[in-house]
Amino acid sequence: MGSAEAAAEAGGGARGPGGVPPPALLTDLYQFTMAYGYWRAGRAGEPAAFELFFRRCPFQGGFALCAGLGECLAFLRAFRFAPADIEYLKSILPATTEKAFFEYLRTVDASEVSVSSPPEGSVVFSRVPLLQVRGPLLVVQLLETTLLCLMNYASLVATNAARFRLAAGPHKKLIELGLRRAQGPDGGLSASKYSYLGGFDFTSNVLAGKLFGIPVRGTIAHSFVSSFNSLAEVKPRNLVPAGGQKPVDFPALAETWLSRVCQLLQVPLDGVNQGELAAFVSYAITFPQNFQGLVDTYCVMRSGVPNFCAVALALNELGYRAVGIRVDSGDLAKQSVEIRHVFRLCGKHFDVPWFETIPIAVSNDVSERSLEELAQQGNEIDMIGVGTHIVTCPLQPSLGCVYKLVEVNGAPRLKVTEDKEKTTIPGRKVVYRLWNADGFPCMDLMALEDESPPKAGQEVAFWSLGETEEAGTLVPTTVEILHRPYFKDGQVCPSLPSLEEIKGHVQASLGKLSPAHKRLRDPEAYQVAVTEKLHSLLLDLQSNSR
Amino acid sequence: MGSAEAAAEAGGGARGPGGVPPPALLTDLYQFTMAYGYWRAGRAGEPAAFELFFRRCPFQGGFALCAGLGECLAFLRAFRFAPADIEYLKSILPATTEKAFFEYLRTVDASEVSVSSPPEGSVVFSRVPLLQVRGPLLVVQLLETTLLCLMNYASLVATNAARFRLAAGPHKKLIELGLRRAQGPDGGLSASKYSYLGGFDFTSNVLAGKLFGIPVRGTIAHSFVSSFNSLAEVKPRNLVPAGGQKPVDFPALAETWLSRVCQLLQVPLDGVNQGELAAFVSYAITFPQNFQGLVDTYCVMRSGVPNFCAVALALNELGYRAVGIRVDSGDLAKQSVEIRHVFRLCGKHFDVPWFETIPIAVSNDVSERSLEELAQQGNEIDMIGVGTHIVTCPLQPSLGCVYKLVEVNGAPRLKVTEDKEKTTIPGRKVVYRLWNADGFPCMDLMALEDESPPKAGQEVAFWSLGETEEAGTLVPTTVEILHRPYFKDGQVCPSLPSLEEIKGHVQASLGKLSPAHKRLRDPEAYQVAVTEKLHSLLLDLQSNSR
């Protein structure tokens, strides 16, 4: 702990989405050995261009969302090495490293760097750059690891959240509950932020609510329920009716309702857990306008639901409405149907019409797959809590973005490994998103910067990338430039959208995409292609490299 | 970014292992609604005991490591609500929440909390508490989410690292490279810290090196190699021999060696990539005592390896020794064997004996599984870089620790859901680790605090937990108390071990464990049991709850 405290004092901690940007030292060592290599070869200032992209859409899906841009820009603005950082670097680089290099590092910042990107929250596809980063070779090399760290997880979680939203449909509420299962404090904050951005409605994470303005939700846990033994423990016992009349002994009222409910449901009264009843009663007295019950600490249908209904009906008698019920184990779809049936029964029998529509919330290891199953099975669920499966993305826990050099000193560069998928696309590019006659984007076309842009209504020749490369032509109805400038001369260029605006852009961007690419399984691959000129360049460089 | 900046100013960011402890607000909303429930029922100060444990060993393995304690203690020591936190809570809790509750929250801290735990880095098993947390009901309830967040991932990654170490064997060096694939900045720092703790040797993460003193390693990336076109770009060209003699034109020397190497290896000289040669030459001039080549930017055996050998032999002529070679794609075992063959050939032919032993490093999506395959295949690998598979733990991306109430106000509590595995073990306990005659720990026995402890050499009756519960007896040769007090009266009790000491404890703790429990696949389950008295209590409470 000593070193952590010292670090905190020195301002050296790695702070994520909630705090100040991560320090420039949060990177891989080889960035510094390479930097020294460039510097010593007099190449530090050579103009270079890198692209950050992924090779395959995550989760075997047809799309991804681009997220993390705002944090990258904050990182770039603050990018500088503190004296303590330089001292540390001196201690780990070979003793032969020249002093002048460390002097040089003191002067390094992102003031000559420029970055362009699709707007944060845009739908993106494999091999299309999420970031285009240009600037002095040494500087843009040093940025690699941190930019990857900031983009990879943000984009992955946002995409995961969008898929959960697609699986759940537009009407069910989704709440993220994953803080306890995330990669530490900032992992949890990132998860909350980017799952909201990608399509969730709420988070349970209070700090995320405070920092990002995300609506926060939460009620009680099993520990609250099991901390009560009997109604004798309930204090205070009185509840003032909503109309302000004389206070009522609420535990007694709830007990009366419990026997009526048990009779109606044909549930033995002595099988109902008294501690659970006490917990619900106590919570209802505490939050009469926000009563929600967690009904699976003991038996759901023989204790939790009767207790919930009794307390909710007692509240109703005093003019309050319960706001929801939650189940956290077992067959969620089946139980939701059974609970809705009980609500309808109670609503009719006791003449309380709103009772039928009490929102039913579920949680318990909910995954994309289980959401699909819930939908197939039929259910009466209104709100779904997701923890582990949204924050850890178990279907694919890493997006696998890479950051590759595409040009240096005016010469296009590429990496040609034996693993063909790892070959990069050389050169400084413009990416055009082409739309078809059905009104959908149908191709992202990468062109060299000096090529004349494709035009709507005119035939465009292309080489599509993918399993097999093939030539073709199409006539786009609309041509859109995908990237916009976001950073120049050390400054963030346009004013950035708010989280709410980005969240809106996500849904708009997804809304425009053809359903064929949005299918969660076996989606149709979206076409990503290069122009003939870029294709020729690629072939030339490949043959030269042999 | 506005809100993030404001938060940073207010000291409100979520800071992980590198910085100050996470703020008290990094928790789930329901902790506050429950806290208000307890407070209003006059139960805030009731003495309560919680246990933090997992239900199944991760990765279908036979053990886990307990990690994260140091961060939990730092969090507890700092646990307090800032005025801005209280204001935010006022804005999200129902308007009916009493003002006095918020006044009360201002006074809340961990000064009445006590925590015991196995020493950090100990081998632990399912259902045995990683933390025993006691204190006022309201306070220990509020701690739940953050303690889970700090323990879950730390323990998961440490366990994962221990398994990589077991799979790799004791001699190969393991380096963690996962920063770019982690859950943001602090996810990456946590991964570096706890993979080192669990058995890795190095990290590539410079900030982790600075903050935790972890040895940092790294050389060059493909971008460095592909940034060079030809030897003409190499500046400076001169290299002073190790003996301090007259500087030598190093590119020219390397070229001479390249033709000799190509002849020996029967590789066409004109197929060797000149940019790659230039990159190696430039890097060797920069770091003559630390030259390492990354040989798969172009063709490994027809370009990368000949270029590497040429530069390493040129360095040798000047009295320097190359420190390693790295391959980042393709069949790693096969290539390591081919490369070692080349090294032996060059070593013999050019009479450079040390050449045979140049360390071979590999990376490229290395997993626990691929380590097993490497071992089966036979290989000549000395160092293994692991990224995604160590930091994201794809075999099981979450440990699934829970935090359950076991006693309140002197009464043992449990949760009995329909999901039997989720039933908790009630009461304040002491956990005894019992050793058998073979000299291995063989059972963790949970007893109630007021029971007399088992004694070495005397028969102990137990009920084992697991798929089927059954009674039995055993005679332990040694009895050890698993937990130690670590936090009391708001202070950390003993002086905590350093990261190096914890790392040592991990290996010692694993070293004592029977190989049967350490098998990576189908391990023998370690026995976790309860005393007869605890078993009776469990049955009593279960039947009472119905």
Side-chain angles (χ1 to χ4, degrees), chain B residues 254-329:
Chain B
E255 273 193 302
T256 319
W257 274 104
L258 183 61
S259 40
R260 297 172 72 183
V261 167
C262 285
Q263 206 168 17
L264 174 67
L265 303 181
Q266 296 183 306
V267 166
L269 186 59
D270 60 1
V272 173
N273 188 284
Q274 287 293 305
E276 187 181 50
L277 178 63
F280 291 175
V281 163
S282 182
Y283 195 78
I285 294 171
T286 310
F287 293 115
Q289 285 164 329
N290 300 78
F291 173 63
Q292 187 172 1
L294 172 66
V295 293
D296 68 332
T297 306
Y298 308 104
C299 180
V300 173
M301 295 311 294
R302 301 173 77 81
S303 181
V305 172
N307 274 329
F308 173 84
C309 291
V311 173
L313 287 162
L315 279 174
N316 175 68
E317 195 178 315
L318 304 187
Y320 298 107
R321 288 190 182 187
V323 298
I325 190 169
R326 180 161 78 100
V327 186
D328 185 41
S329 55

Side-chain angles (χ1 to χ4, degrees), chain A residues 1 3-5 7-8 12-15 17-18 20 22-23 25-30 32-34 36-38 40-41 43 50 70 74 77 85 88 94 96 141 144-145 148-150 152-153 179-187 189 204-207 209-211 216-224 226-229 235-236 271 273 282-283 285-287 289-290 296-300 326 328 364 388 391-392 394 397-398 400-401 404-405 408 413-418 422 545-546, chain B residues 1 3-5 7-8 12-15 17-20 22-23 25-30 32-34 36-38 40-41 43 50 70 74 77 85 88 94 96 141 144-145 148-150 152-153 179-187 189 204-207 209-211 216-224 226-229 235-236 270-271 273 282-283 285-287 289-290 296-300 326 328 364 388 391-392 394 397-398 400-401 405 408 413-418 422 545-546:
Chain A
M1 286 203 310
S3 70
E5 278 165 23
R15 319 242 177 91
V20 297
L25 217 53
L26 185 79
T27 186
D28 292 313
L29 180 62
Y30 72 6
F32 293 103
T33 52
M34 289 192 279
Y36 183 54
Y38 291 137
R40 205 148 181 279
R43 302 185 59 198
F50 279 82
R77 212 158 55 157
D85 295 342
Y88 178 69
T96 51
Q141 178 72 68
E144 173 178 20
T145 309
L148 283 169
C149 181
L150 293 173
N152 255 326
Y153 181 64
L179 174 56
R180 62 188 65 189
R181 303 291 161 86
Q183 288 183 6
D186 270 357
L189 264 192
S204 67
N205 182 338
V206 181
L207 189 61
K210 182 182 170 207
L211 295 177
V216 193
R217 290 289 183 278
T219 52
I220 55 172
H222 297 111
S223 52
F224 185 85
S226 61
S227 79
F228 284 84
N229 259 317
K235 281 176 293 186
N273 189 285
S282 183
Y283 196 79
I285 294 172
T286 310
F287 293 115
Q289 285 162 330
N290 299 78
D296 68 333
T297 306
Y298 308 104
C299 178
V300 174
R326 180 163 77 99
D328 186 41
N364 183 27
T388 310
V391 307
T392 69
S398 167
C401 281
K404 295 293 173 191
L405 181 69
V408 64
R413 306 306 306 153
L414 91 166
K415 174 188 163 208
V416 197
T417 66
E418 283 151 60
K422 287 192 166 184
S545 80
R546 284 189 198 107
Chain B
M1 287 204 309
S3 70
E5 278 165 21
R15 321 244 175 87
V20 296
L25 217 52
L26 186 78
T27 187
D28 292 313
L29 180 62
Y30 73 6
F32 293 103
T33 52
M34 289 191 280
Y36 183 54
Y38 291 136
R40 205 148 179 280
R43 304 186 58 198
F50 279 82
R77 213 160 53 159
D85 296 341
Y88 178 67
T96 52
Q141 177 72 68
E144 172 177 19
T145 309
L148 284 169
C149 180
L150 294 172
N152 254 327
Y153 181 64
L179 175 56
R180 63 189 64 189
R181 303 289 161 86
Q183 289 184 6
D186 271 356
L189 264 192
S204 67
N205 182 339
V206 182
L207 189 61
K210 182 181 171 210
L211 295 177
V216 194
R217 291 288 181 280
T219 51
I220 54 173
H222 297 110
S223 51
F224 185 87
S226 62
S227 78
F228 285 84
N229 258 319
K235 281 176 293 184
D270 60 1
N273 188 284
S282 182
Y283 195 78
I285 294 171
T286 310
F287 293 115
Q289 285 164 329
N290 300 78
D296 68 332
T297 306
Y298 308 104
C299 180
V300 173
R326 180 161 78 100
D328 185 41
N364 184 27
T388 308
V391 306
T392 68
S398 168
C401 281
L405 181 67
V408 66
R413 306 307 306 155
L414 92 167
K415 173 187 164 208
V416 197
T417 66
E418 284 152 61
K422 286 194 167 182
S545 82
R546 280 185 202 113

